[in-house]
Amino acid sequence: MARDPREVMEYDVLVVGAGPSGLSAAIRLKQLANEAGQELSVCVVEKGSEVGAHLLSGAVFEPHALDELIPDWKDKGAPLTTPAREDRFLYLTETKALKSPFTPPQMHNHGNYIISLGNLARWMAGQAEELGVEIYPGFAAAEVLYDDGGAVKGVATGDMGIGKDGEKTANYTPGMELHAKQTIFAEGCRGSLTKTLFERFNLRDGVDPQ
Ligand SMILES: Cc1cc2nc3c(=O)[nH]c(=O)nc-3n(C[C@H](O)[C@H](O)[C@H](O)COP(=O)(O)OP(=O)(O)OC[C@H]3O[C@@H](n4cnc5c(N)ncnc54)[C@H](O)[C@@H]3O)c2cc1C
């Protein structure tokens, strides 16, 4: 099937994935650029239909990093409203739950919050947009693009409207190319494009699987 030419959009920084990592990176970059009085275009693509749609985890959240990134997060209405009040460390058998008399120090949650990660990401996306980050939900990065020297130059989103037979349907729309001086892959663990980068640049050679 012949591919139609793809529209190209240029940015300074492109972030793939609007999870907490990608959004933090986008926010921090815009904060630094604004402090330095510099123009910096930052775009985030997210494959979920909206930011947070693919983040299903309820989480116990340690707010240290958020304190550093957005110190006035409480005033800005961050969805951290349920402090962890009590820790219980249980040993589960088939029929019983035995409470340990003490909780190991690394399991202490004093100062942490019980949150919805999806809600946190949605709130962070709002903060990022206020700083001028462009966020495009509903766009999965489907292909890494390389320049003639072999360096990453961005990503392409997938073509839409391809039939089961691999041919274009009436709804066919070619994907878009997003080019950037720097591309940050923040797809979470087991990201499909990140895996291709591991292989191409031998990033997993000799490193601990964890
Ligand atoms: C069951 C479970 C429970 C957890 N509980 C806790 C907890 O209690 N406390 C805690 O601190 N952590 C917890 N974690 C870990 C925490 O969820 C992760 O560390 C965190 O979400 C990682 O953030 P991230 O931004 O790197 O990736 P993710 O949160 O995975 O975000 C990646 C984003 O990128 C998008 N994306 C991926 N590929 C593409 C693509 N090609 N194009 C466009 N978008 C893409 C995804 O849709 C997603 O929105 C838990 C994880 C799981 C699975």
Side-chain angles (χ1 to χ4, degrees), residues 27 31 34 66-81 119-120 122-128 130-131:
I27 289 171
Q31 287 172 337
N34 292 350
L66 187 60
D67 288 339
E68 289 183 5
L69 185 68
I70 305 177
D72 55 347
W73 55 262
K74 273 191 188 153
D75 297 337
K76 289 185 165 162
L80 275 64
T81 50
N119 285 347
L120 178 68
R122 271 185 279 278
W123 176 80
M124 289 178 75
Q127 300 302 308
E130 276 181 26
L131 289 164

Side-chain angles (χ1 to χ4, degrees), residues 16-22 45-48 52 54-55 57-62 117 139-142 186-189 191-193:
V16 179
S21 314
V45 286
E46 166 54 47
K47 69 180 176 173
H54 286 189
L55 303 175
S57 143
V60 178
F61 183 76
E62 200 274 298
L117 195 61
F139 283 92
E187 296 179 292
C189 60
S192 52
L193 296 186

Side-chain angles (χ1 to χ4, degrees), residues 2-8 156-157 159 168 172-177:
R3 165 173 280 147
D4 290 4
R6 299 190 281 208
E7 192 185 330
V8 177
T157 61
D159 296 338
K168 298 173 192 169
Y172 173 74
T173 317
M176 254 172 32
E177 294 199 6

